[in-house]
Amino acid sequence: MSTELPPVIAIDGPSGSGKGTVASGAAEALGWHLLDSGALYRILAHVSQQAGVSADTPARLEALARGLRVDFVRTSTGAEQILLDGRDVTTVVRSEESGKRASELAVIPQVRQGLVGVQRSFRRTPGLVADGRDMGTVIFPDAGLKIFLTASVEERVQRRYNQLKQKGLNATLPALFRDLIARDERDRNRAVSPLKAAPDAVVLDTTGMPVAAVVDQVLDRARRRYGEAAAGRRQGG
Ligand code: C5P
């Protein structure tokens, strides 16, 4: 019996670097599973708020984190849905409020610890594309392909703005700019699992690049690294 674990592509980067869109596009093209790890932090932010569990009770947060039952599915129209215990929580999880609270909870070591097992449970055949801040450094340090996406702050703010507007959510550029800088600071400077490229990651600056071109670069590297296993559903991206 083979003990080899299914292959993983880790895609990390700061907010608005495009990692979510790129990871989703790559997972779809390859026919692999998708892990949007940021969504887990966002769901925990939402669930803990609902349950009245605050940041001063890390053991309770850890227990909540361990118990999360989350699925990422694609609807028949191609839209992505985030399910918590089978319930659609996509809209609430994508709000700026959840993102902000998520990044506050993400500095708590017990929260990160509680989510390790949940994240690793997404590693299933034929493979996994995982996006976040510490996929290549902490959660899947043995990933065969690690990508670290960057882009200028201005472009990341603009992308976030377009994304939120497209979803009909409220946003203003100056507020997004402030939030993004604050979140970058917290993510880069926290003591546990700070946002940084793994030493063996390929760093791609996506400023000015269309998403499809970034997805193609990831798929190219995936095919070179994994051959047949990454042959995917469509050839040539
Ligand atoms: O990627 P997204 O913006 O959805 O993530 C929300 C927040 O969750 C991030 O700002 C970050 O603080 C935290 N996060 C993290 N580690 C991950 C994914 C997200 O700390 N792997």
Side-chain angles (χ1 to χ4, degrees):
M1 197 177 71
S2 165
T3 52
E4 213 171 283
L5 289 165
V8 176
I9 299 174
I11 304 185
D12 291 301
S15 299
S17 58
K19 61 192 171 349
T21 319
V22 170
S24 161
E28 199 199 354
L30 294 169
W32 288 14
H33 299 280
L34 175 69
L35 165 62
D36 171 357
S37 62
L40 299 181
Y41 286 87
R42 287 164 177 265
I43 288 174
L44 184 66
H46 170 66
V47 169
S48 59
Q49 198 162 32
Q50 298 264 300
V53 176
S54 75
D56 337 321
T57 51
R60 291 185 65 197
L61 285 172
E62 181 170 352
L64 275 182
R66 284 186 196 282
L68 292 183
R69 297 282 166 269
V70 177
D71 288 299
F72 302 100
V73 296
R74 204 175 279 280
T75 65
S76 50
T77 61
E80 250 173 40
Q81 243 181 13
I82 305 170
L83 302 180
L84 171 65
D85 292 324
R87 234 170 1 99
D88 182 6
V89 291
T90 317
T91 307
V92 63
V93 161
R94 288 273 166 256
S95 70
E96 277 304 287
E97 177 55 33
S98 291
K100 197 160 151 230
R101 201 170 133 77
S103 97
E104 287 161 10
L105 294 185
V107 303
I108 303 171
Q110 291 89 335
V111 164
R112 306 202 71 85
Q113 194 50 42
L115 288 176
V116 170
V118 182
Q119 293 173 89
R120 290 189 179 146
S121 72
F122 281 85
R123 186 173 196 169
R124 297 190 291 257
T125 49
L128 176 70
V129 182
D131 85 81
R133 306 291 190 292
D134 59 348
M135 297 298 97
T137 50
V138 176
I139 305 299
F140 303 110
D142 61 334
L145 178 59
K146 300 180 186 179
I147 309 279
F148 192 87
L149 297 181
T150 61
S152 71
V153 177
E154 291 74 17
E155 179 145 339
R156 292 191 286 124
V157 169
Q158 190 65 50
R159 286 178 187 170
R160 200 75 169 186
Y161 180 82
N162 297 346
Q163 241 174 23
L164 291 169
K165 284 284 158 191
Q166 229 173 38
K167 291 183 178 136
L169 295 168
N170 257 338
T172 66
L173 282 171
L176 282 181
F177 197 86
R178 257 198 325 272
D179 279 0
L180 191 118
I181 301 271
R183 206 178 304 171
D184 276 3
E185 277 280 314
R186 257 198 307 270
D187 289 348
R188 289 205 165 100
N189 298 321
R190 68 179 168 231
V192 261
S193 315
L195 167 68
K196 63 166 192 249
D200 50 348
V202 179
V203 179
L204 289 180
D205 185 343
T206 67
T207 310
M209 267 174 91
V211 166
V214 186
V215 173
D216 278 349
Q217 284 219 15
V218 172
L219 291 176
D220 251 18
R221 288 176 193 275
R223 285 172 188 137
R224 267 185 273 147
R225 172 67 182 82
Y226 290 120
E228 265 303 289
R233 298 181 185 175
R234 339 178 216 122
Q235 290 290 331

